[in-house]
Structure formats: structure tokens, C-alpha cells
Amino acid sequence: MATQRNLLSRSLQAAKSRYRYHQSLRRISSAAAPELPPFGYEPKPYSGPLADQVLEKRKKYLGPSLFHYYQKPLNIVEGKMQYLFDESGKRYLDGFAGIVTVSCGHCHPDVLGAIVEQSKLLQHATTIYLHHAIADFAEELASKMPGNLKVVYFVNSGTEANELAMLMARLYSGNLGMLALRNAYHGGSASTIGLTALNTWKYPIPQGEIHHVVNPNPYRGVFGSDANQYAEDVKDHIDHGTSGQVAGFIAETIQGVGGAVELAPGYLKLVYDIVRKAGGVCIADEVQTGFGRTGSHYWGFETQGVTPDIVTMAKMSDEFDAITVSFLSLTTYIYQGIGNGLPLGAVVTTPAIASVMAQKIQFNTFGGNPVCSAGGLAVLKVLDKEQRQKHCADVGSHLIQRLRDLQQRHDYFLVDALDYSMSKL
Amino acid sequence: MQRFATRRGICGTGVQRWRRCLSQLAQKTEENEVYVPKIPSFDYSPPAYKGPTAEEILRKRKDCLSPSMFTFYKKPLNVVHGKMQYLFDENGRRYLDAFGGIATVCCGHCHPDVVKAIVDQTNQLQHSTILYLNHAITDFADALASKLPGDLKVVFFTNSGTEANELAMMMARLYTGCHDIISLRNAYHGNAAGTMGATAQSNWKFNVVQSGVHHAVNPDPYRGIFGSDGEKYAKDIEDLIQFGTSGHVAGFISEAIQGVGGIVELAAGYLPAAYSSVKKAGGLCISDEVQAGFGRTGSHFWGFESHGVVPDIVTMAKGIGNGIPLGAVVTTPKIAEVLTRRSYFNTFGGNPVCTAAGLAVLKVIKREKLQENAHVVGSYLKDRLCALKDKHEIIGDVRGSGMMLGVELVTDRHLKTPAKTEILHVMDQMKDMGVLIGKGGFFGNVFRITPPLCFTKDDA
């Protein structure tokens, strides 16, 4: 009898769930479709290859692992500030910003100006010669950093930045073991693939001595928002899985690829302490969270009240302040970026840590080239001039609130919304 | 043994400070008792020893041997002779051996049958390698394989537990084409490059590359974060596989009861859940039976049997040859095939003398019913240890199975603060009383009791 009752109540619950789900869908589809805000700009007419042709060529020449969004892939041919245009001139509100990269806005005039001007003067010579662009940019970037973080290395991507950071950590500490969070993304090269901790991104090759600690995910984590328990796991890994001494710990303050997962409050403070006691350095991966994107602070790590030993950055060079709400993406981003889409990355660290690199030669041919540096500097200026961090905070809070309203109305969507521009201020 | 550990310990001269660690009840007992326990009588006199003294040997060790070598006891013991469950020092003093050469001597020191097999074979043929045929290796392999369930019937002989685990890990990686191996925190699997990675206690891990090993939360019922909830711990394996690896792993290795880690039994329900997750990810399950195998746990011949699982690879050493340098890896024919891809050779592995000894050990275990003895005497000893725990606050936990028992000493039962100095003191006391016991655990505060399986109730 009890079993039958259980079965009956379970199937009733399932039926209710299905009903609520379909009701939600009906509400969404029957609601009046919202329109994009007006934008006084007409894209240039496009006369290049169409989507189908491009797709065919991609399949033929660009490797089977290249994937795209949407059942009918979008052929994006022009961008202006927070909008993108497809081959037919249709305007889209860009809520993803080239994967958290375009910070100032697509083809922002100031940034464009800097890039074009520099390209006409000198595009590439490498750091074996002097040039003011790299030094100016490094100075400006270092001025945004707290503490003793003032030595800048320029690379060409986030992956390269994290590779370099890991190398520095191992050389400086004399230890080998690295600690990274489960669900993190730090790159796709042979070494950074070890730090990355999402199985879809990890090829089956040896990945070195990396210890993946329990993710302090307040929504899905086994310890909820209890930073202490998560920090205990880090200590457990160090005590048992390593020699007791580690090279370092790396984390994104908000996991990007992992689904905009914030770290439980207070987590980084506890863990930084544990890692430093074990001889390790603390690396903050600001590839997605830096440059004011979180709204409340310029750097993501500042929201956790810590100062890392090494900071890596990339992606962001262009600001892009508008946010789209997509029912298919369960989180929203307000994106910033070091070069607004220019292939640029950087590692900022202390003089003491940087000194270990002098024992051998480390050279990056394209790193810090005049054009990218000029673009990067222009971005920093735009961020300051147009007060983009504050803007992120304002618009971000507004968006978060609207998402939370949506969460109230629809059971099946937005079960967790980032609260980053609001209560942390 | 434990009785006089407390009474003798209190009654013994110059141990006044020990009183403070014990409960009132113990003191009361002490006042009423005049009993002075002795190790059981043993009708045997050791041959006279004429070799170098302890001091001379210690000096030579310091000069010629590794500086990392360590000894037990304030005054290191010079052990020169052994007979069954007893050891004799240079003065002919007899000690009850409750550590068994670190869970290795299972039949008893210099067991006549084993000695005879070794001597006979040594007189016949001591070494030739497997390039030639010899019956000793095949007889033993046959007998050993018959003790294992399922399709586990291909035997590789090595010379130690480390070698066995190294081979097991390599086979798992070759068989699956994956690199990632999962082991448990607090585990000990060996000290070579690969096994050092699987070993998961910081003091055993040097600062060298130890690639591809992921250390799962230890399902430790006493200190573990999820208590005795085996399935909750097993979720960490799922988590590691999903996030820390490509989603496919080479394998999972664990001891059924952690030896070096302090006789930590795995929480109930853990292994079946863990094995299931690992197999789903294409990995092989390796059971490290170096300490728990050969009937030591009493209830079963192999440690993994008490968890109701069947591994893909089983590694063994220590007890396999009653102390002779021998190790083995047993696996299925399919997995064994991976080694045919290249040349694999072990010069000493499976030599006639060691395999003859191994076979003799199996026969002794069967004939003298040593597994049953381990079960009966071990359970009896565990009960008495539990009674001791009720009397003394310093005992935080009594655990283990058969003749693989652990007693964890803590200075605070709630906080579980390890009693690191107290344990050394008690160990020394016990040695003075004539009982040799082992020590282990991450904090070094766990007594490890792993005597030869011929231990009697009187000994207990």
C-alpha cells in the first residue's frame, strides 16, 4: 500500500512539474516579443560569401573540431558598439561580446583610431628594440594593480598567460604541484589543459601534477556556501596529495566557461593563506573577470579581499556594456577586455617572482607589439573616460534584478542568477 | 599483551607521569592488582649471538647506509633471531612480535616448512631467470591464481610491493589508453616515480614529477568529512572524473584497509560505488593487497572480498613469502596482453627460491588454518582493545579486522588531537615489557598491530 502511495505521489509530482514547464513555455511564447533599442547606425552593405559558403569552407579547411552556435549558424560580418550585424544587415544585441572579450564596444572609435594610427607607423619589430607603446601600456596597466604587482609580461592569449604564470610559480617555489578548481577553465594547451577542469575540454594526454580541489560552488557544491569546508579540502589535498609543498594555486574569481560560478564568499582568503604556508604562489585568472567587468571592483580578486602574487589577463580589451537576456543562456555577463578583441594577454607579478625568469631566456615574438599595446592602452583610457566600471555596476544590477524577477515567474529558468554588481558593493 | 600495557605501565618503575594520562578507573584497578603480566612461555632457546653489538651496527649504518634510514625506539633494537611469533635481541631476550616485520611475516619467523622449502630449493637452483623453464614458478602461480575469484588468473612476479603497483599502474594506463589514475588520500602504494604519485601522504612524497594521479577524499570513518557514509565519499570520485580528467580514466587503486595510513578501514559501501564510477569511465580497478592479503583480515583471504567487489588487477607482496623479497600482480588474460606490445622483463621476478617459499607459505596458511586463526584471535584481541578504549580517554579509536588492527591515540576525543609524543612513550614502554608493536597514520599516532598469523590468544 505504502509503495503504491509513493508511486502515485511521485507520478503526480512529475505530472505537476511537466504542467508548470509547459505553462512557462506558453507564457514566454505568447508574450509580446520585445524589440531592440533604436540605434542610429546603418551597417555597410555586405557583398562577401554567404553563410552556407563560409560553413562549407570551414568544414573543408578548418578542422572537424571547430564548432558553432545555433542550428542555423550566424554569419557575422560587422560590429558597432554593442551590436552585431549579419550578412543581411540584421542587427543583433550582442550579449556575449565575443566570449567576454569585446569591452569597449565593437569597433569603438577611440580604440580603432589607436590601432589604425599605430598600424600606419610601425606594426611589428619585437622587444629586442625599444618602443614607447609597450612601456606606456605596461605602466598604465601596472598602475591599476594593488600591492607590489608591477612587472608586466605581454603574451598573445589567456592560455599563454596562464602557461607563463604556471612556469613562474614552479620556478619561484621550486615545487611542482599545482592546485586548480574543478569546473575551471584556464586554457587549451598541453599544460594549461591540466589546470582546466571540465572533462569536455581535456584530451587524454598526460597533464602533469595538478590537484583539482572541490569547487566552492554555492549552488551545486557539496558544502553549499561554506568556505571553510572547501578550504579544508585544499589543505587535505596538500597534506596528502603533495609533498606538503606546492608550486601554486590558480582560480578565476567567477568561473567563466564553467557557467559564471562565483566562489563561496571568503574562500580565496582562506585558501591563499593555506597555499602560501605550503610555499605556493597564488594566481588570479582575470581573463574574464578583470577590467571592471564585475562592476564593484576593477579586478575580480578584489571582490574576495585578496591580493594575488600573479595576475593573468586577456580577452578584455574592449568594453561592451549592453547585456542581452537570453533564455538559453542561464547567466549574463557584462564584459570587459584587455584589447577589445586584439590578440593580447598579460601576466602581472611582483619583481621577486619575475626575477626567476631571468635565469633563462623567455621570449615572445608577438607579445607586446606596438599595435596591440596601443590598442590596449586606448582601451584602458576608454574604460576610465567613459566610467565603464560604474556603468557595469549600474546596468548589471538592473539586469540582475530583471533576471531575478524572471526567476520568480518561471520555474524552469534562471534558477540561479549572479549577484555580482549589487550586494558586493 | 594490552593488559600489561596498562598495569605494567602504571606499576612499572619511573612511569609516574603516565598516570596522569589514564582514567581514575585504571588507577583503581592498578591499586588492587599485584599481577605482573609476562609474555606467554615459549619452549625455545635462541642460539648464542656473537656478532656486532647494537652500537657498532648503528655506527656502521650511519657511516655506510642512507641517512634517511630511521629506527623505532629511543634505544634501537638489534634483532638477531626469530622464531614463530617471537624475536630475540643480541642478549637473547625474547620479544613478542606484534608488528610482523611490518605485516610481512605471516606464517611465523623461520617457520620450519618455509625454511625447508627455501633451503631445499637453494640447494637445487637459486636463479636462472624465466628465459628457462622451471616448475617452481608455475606451481606457485597455479596455486596463487586458484585463490582469486573471477577471471584473475595471469600472474606476474616482481620483487616488492612497489614494483607490483608500478606494474599494475602501467598496465592500467596501457590497457585503457588513458593516463589518469585515482587513488585515496592517506594511501601508501610505493616509492618509485609512478607509485609515489599514487601514495598520498606528504611525508612520503618527494618533490619530483608525479603526473596524472588524482587523490580522492579518503573514506575514513573516524576522521573523514562524511563519517561512515561510503556513497557520499564515492561521489568525490565521480566529481574528480568529470572535472579533473577527460572523463575517462586509466584506473583506481586502493588498499582495502590502509596500512601505512594507520589501519584505516574504508567506509562501508564505498568500494562498490567507487568501482562502479571508475568502470563507467572505462577505468580498471586495482586492489592493493600488499598488507591486507593472504588471510590477514581473518574474515576473507583477500581484503577486497570483505567489500563485495572483484577488482581487475590485484597486487600483493609482504605476506606472500613470509618475508622473502617477492611481489605479484594478478590480472585477467585480456589485461595481461598489453605487456606483449613491448618487451617486459624482471630478472629476479619469479626466481625458484622465492616462488618455492611462496608456495610453502600458501600450504602453511591452509594446513595451519592461519586465516581462521587470524579471525578468532584477531576478534578476541579487538574486543580486548575496545574494552581498553572504554577505560582510557587517550584511545580515540580501535579499528581493523583480523590481525590487521589499529589503535589511534588522541589527547582529546572530541577534537581528535593526535597524541604524537605519548605514543612514542607507550611504544618504548611496551618494548621494555617485551612487546614489539608498529606505528603509523598520517600523524604517526596509530598503533599498528599486524602480528604473524600464528599469534595466539595468550599472546593477545
Side-chain angles (χ1 to χ4, degrees):
Chain A
M1 266 306 280
T3 333
Q4 282 177 326
R5 260 206 304 275
N6 281 340
L7 282 171
L8 188 60
S9 78
R10 273 210 296 270
S11 45
L12 261 174
Q13 271 171 6
K16 276 187 194 159
S17 294
R18 279 198 300 275
Y19 177 71
R20 282 203 304 272
Y21 174 66
H22 288 296
Q23 283 290 86
S24 292
L25 283 183
R26 247 169 277 156
R27 272 201 294 268
I28 292 163
S29 53
S30 67
E35 279 184 15
L36 299 187
F39 188 55
Y41 176 80
E42 282 302 313
K44 302 181 195 60
Y46 179 69
S47 49
L50 299 176
D52 293 334
Q53 291 169 284
V54 175
L55 192 59
E56 208 190 301
K57 269 197 186 165
R58 266 171 67 133
K59 282 193 175 127
K60 205 168 166 191
Y61 297 112
L62 295 181
S65 67
L66 211 61
F67 59 90
H68 51 74
Y69 273 4
Y70 309 121
Q71 276 157 6
K72 204 163 169 294
L74 214 49
N75 186 15
I76 297 296
V77 304
E78 193 178 328
K80 197 75 179 174
M81 299 310 282
Q82 64 266 40
Y83 300 104
L84 289 170
F85 299 90
D86 71 8
E87 60 193 18
S88 55
K90 179 171 177 187
R91 180 164 59 102
Y92 295 89
L93 185 59
D94 186 1
F96 203 19
I99 313 181
V100 205
T101 301
V102 176
S103 51
C104 300
H106 292 283
C107 305
H108 187 289
D110 291 10
V111 182
L112 258 191
I115 293 170
V116 168
E117 281 311 304
Q118 187 56 51
S119 300
K120 290 187 192 157
L121 275 174
L122 179 69
Q123 202 252 301
H124 170 83
T126 80
T127 55
I128 55 180
Y129 308 104
L130 304 177
H131 193 276
H132 71 91
I134 183 177
D136 293 343
F137 184 32
E139 185 183 21
E140 189 66 27
L141 195 54
S143 74
K144 301 285 187 204
M145 287 283 168
N148 209 14
L149 292 161
K150 54 191 183 207
V151 181
V152 187
Y153 289 82
F154 287 112
V155 293
N156 304 293
S157 68
T159 288
E160 273 190 15
N162 286 330
E163 281 267 354
L164 186 54
M166 191 157 62
L167 176 63
M168 284 181 190
R170 285 179 160 156
L171 291 172
Y172 182 74
S173 64
N175 302 313
L176 292 163
M178 286 289 300
L179 297 147
L181 301 181
R182 292 177 209 176
N183 201 46
Y185 186 87
H186 294 294
S189 63
S191 287
T192 47
I193 215 177
L195 298 174
T196 292
L198 281 155
N199 75 72
T200 43
W201 297 96
K202 293 171 81 71
Y203 288 97
I205 52 166
Q207 288 164 24
E209 193 189 330
I210 317 279
H211 305 270
H212 299 107
V213 300
V214 172
N215 195 25
N217 179 342
Y219 181 55
R220 287 190 180 275
V222 68
F223 302 125
S225 298
D226 187 347
N228 284 301
Q229 300 246 61
Y230 291 118
E232 270 306 306
D233 185 62
V234 175
K235 188 153 192 310
D236 210 34
H237 268 282
I238 294 178
D239 283 342
H240 293 96
T242 75
S243 66
Q245 296 284 298
V246 296
F249 167 82
I250 183 169
E252 310 150 273
T253 320
I254 304 179
Q255 296 180 330
V257 174
V261 175
E262 293 175 82
L263 308 187
Y267 176 77
L268 280 189
K269 239 200 184 105
L270 295 168
V271 173
Y272 272 28
D273 195 44
I274 292 168
V275 169
R276 282 170 177 151
K277 279 205 181 89
V281 301
C282 300
I283 306 169
D285 179 335
E286 294 284 324
V287 166
Q288 295 203 16
T289 46
F291 298 94
R293 185 168 283 286
T294 55
S296 57
H297 296 81
Y298 202 83
W299 302 109
F301 60 79
E302 291 174 312
T303 61
Q304 288 253 341
V306 293
T307 304
D309 304 297
I310 306 177
V311 183
T312 60
M313 53 199 87
K315 285 190 188 295
M316 327 204 290
S317 289
D318 251 353
E319 277 184 31
F320 180 49
D321 352 18
I323 302 105
T324 49
V325 175
S326 155
F327 285 108
L328 296 174
S329 81
L330 299 183
T331 57
T332 59
Y333 291 96
I334 304 171
Y335 296 142
Q336 308 268 13
I338 195 177
N340 207 40
L342 282 168
L344 182 59
V347 180
V348 186
T349 187
T350 63
I353 295 174
S355 67
V356 300
M357 297 302 296
Q359 57 186 269
K360 288 278 190 281
I361 301 179
Q362 194 266 339
F363 191 75
N364 194 308
T365 305
F366 292 130
N369 65 81
V371 173
C372 289
S373 301
L377 185 58
V379 167
L380 289 182
K381 294 200 164 120
V382 168
L383 292 182
D384 285 345
K385 195 179 82 194
E386 297 182 17
Q387 296 189 335
R388 292 308 186 91
Q389 182 183 325
K390 184 173 175 307
H391 187 80
C392 280
D394 293 342
V395 181
S397 316
H398 170 76
L399 180 53
I400 287 281
Q401 192 48 58
R402 286 183 60 96
L403 287 169
R404 290 211 185 285
D405 292 343
L406 219 57
Q407 185 183 10
Q408 295 302 315
R409 297 210 307 267
H410 301 286
D411 276 351
Y412 274 84
F413 301 98
L414 299 172
V415 290
D416 187 40
L418 260 194
D419 194 0
Y420 235 86
S421 298
M422 286 166 45
S423 56
K424 302 298 184 295
L425 281 164
Chain B
M1 170 175 79
Q2 295 308 322
R3 260 197 309 170
F4 66 65
T6 56
R7 291 176 192 150
R8 243 329 248 290
I10 318 156
C11 303
T13 50
V15 201
Q16 298 306 304
R17 92 175 141 105
W18 188 232
R19 288 175 187 248
R20 274 183 258 126
C21 302
L22 300 176
S23 65
Q24 291 284 34
L25 188 56
Q27 281 184 319
K28 223 185 245 170
T29 332
E30 158 220 346
E31 282 148 28
N32 294 334
E33 297 280 332
V34 288
Y35 175 82
V36 174
K38 283 210 235 352
I39 57 179
S41 59
F42 188 55
D43 187 18
Y44 176 81
S45 279
Y49 178 69
K50 299 185 192 67
T53 60
E55 287 77 21
E56 286 166 31
I57 295 173
L58 198 56
R59 207 177 40 239
K60 266 204 187 157
R61 267 172 66 137
K62 286 199 168 102
D63 284 342
C64 315
L65 295 178
S66 160
S68 71
M69 270 191 176
F70 55 90
T71 53
F72 276 175
Y73 309 119
K74 285 197 209 102
K75 206 162 167 292
L77 208 53
N78 183 14
V79 172
V80 305
H81 187 54
K83 196 81 179 162
M84 299 311 282
Q85 64 265 46
Y86 301 102
L87 286 170
F88 299 88
D89 70 9
E90 60 193 15
N91 303 314
R93 176 161 178 200
R94 181 163 59 100
Y95 295 87
L96 183 60
D97 184 7
F99 201 19
I102 313 180
T104 300
V105 176
C106 57
C107 301
H109 291 282
C110 304
H111 188 289
D113 291 11
V114 181
V115 170
K116 181 168 188 306
I118 294 169
V119 168
D120 285 350
Q121 185 58 51
T122 309
N123 283 328
Q124 241 343 58
L125 177 69
Q126 202 250 303
H127 171 80
S128 60
T129 82
I130 47 113
L131 298 172
Y132 311 101
L133 306 177
N134 188 283
H135 70 95
I137 184 176
T138 44
D139 290 347
F140 182 37
D142 188 13
L144 190 56
S146 72
K147 298 299 242 181
L148 283 145
D151 208 20
L152 292 162
K153 54 190 183 206
V154 180
V155 186
F156 294 84
F157 288 111
T158 65
N159 304 294
S160 68
T162 288
E163 270 190 17
N165 285 331
E166 284 281 332
L167 185 55
M169 282 171 67
M170 184 168 83
M171 285 203 275
R173 284 172 162 156
L174 289 170
Y175 185 76
T176 58
C178 295
H179 184 66
D180 296 295
I181 295 218
I182 301 177
S183 72
L184 298 181
R185 291 175 215 174
N186 202 45
Y188 187 90
H189 293 294
N191 56 21
T195 39
M196 191 182 284
T199 292
Q201 282 188 45
S202 59
N203 54 315
W204 295 100
K205 293 169 83 71
F206 285 91
N207 188 21
V208 291
V209 176
Q210 287 162 38
S211 153
V213 187
H214 304 262
H215 305 105
V217 172
N218 197 24
D220 178 347
Y222 182 58
R223 287 187 181 273
I225 192 130
F226 301 125
S228 300
D229 191 341
E231 290 193 10
K232 241 193 176 133
Y233 288 113
K235 285 214 164 56
D236 191 58
I237 301 249
E238 261 308 314
D239 216 39
L240 272 172
I241 293 176
Q242 285 309 310
F243 293 100
T245 75
S246 66
H248 295 276
V249 294
F252 168 76
I253 182 168
S254 77
E255 307 151 271
I257 303 180
Q258 295 180 333
V260 174
I263 317 291
V264 175
E265 292 180 273
L266 307 186
Y270 177 76
L271 274 192
Y275 272 32
S276 165
S277 297
V278 170
K279 281 186 205 275
K280 260 205 317 248
L284 298 183
C285 299
I286 305 169
S287 182
D288 179 335
E289 295 284 326
V290 166
Q291 292 203 19
F294 293 92
R296 181 164 286 285
T297 55
S299 55
H300 298 84
F301 198 82
W302 304 108
F304 65 77
E305 289 175 310
S306 61
H307 291 273
V309 293
V310 179
D312 302 296
I313 306 177
V314 183
T315 60
M316 47 197 88
K318 290 200 181 327
I320 193 178
N322 202 40
I324 210 161
L326 182 60
V329 181
V330 186
T331 186
T332 66
K334 241 178 122 195
I335 296 169
E337 230 212 299
V338 299
L339 290 184
T340 59
R341 298 180 194 170
R342 287 287 186 282
S343 300
Y344 173 78
F345 194 76
N346 194 311
T347 305
F348 292 130
N351 66 81
V353 174
C354 292
T355 44
L359 185 60
V361 165
L362 282 182
K363 290 186 171 144
V364 167
I365 291 177
K366 187 172 177 192
R367 203 188 62 233
E368 296 182 13
K369 297 192 169 48
L370 291 182
Q371 182 187 324
E372 288 85 338
N373 189 53
H375 182 65
V376 168
V377 177
S379 310
Y380 171 74
L381 178 52
K382 194 176 182 188
D383 286 341
R384 289 181 60 100
L385 289 168
C386 287
L388 217 61
K389 178 177 167 218
D390 292 336
K391 290 212 306 243
H392 301 289
E393 284 292 307
I394 199 172
I395 297 178
D397 195 29
V398 171
R399 53 188 184 239
S401 170
M403 290 204 194
M404 190 168 177
L405 300 174
V407 179
E408 178 150 1
L409 300 192
V410 294
T411 52
D412 183 320
R413 274 197 181 179
H414 291 293
L415 298 174
K416 299 183 182 171
T417 330
K420 294 188 231 192
T421 21
E422 289 83 347
I423 192 171
L424 292 171
H425 185 77
V426 178
M427 256 183 97
D428 248 282
Q429 285 287 298
M430 291 184 72
K431 179 192 78 152
D432 291 341
M433 284 185 254
V435 179
L436 305 179
I437 198 173
K439 185 170 76 77
F442 180 72
F443 300 107
N445 67 324
V446 182
F447 276 130
R448 291 163 64 190
I449 303 167
T450 52
L453 303 186
C454 52
F455 220 57
T456 63
K457 271 193 177 166
D458 285 343
D459 295 321

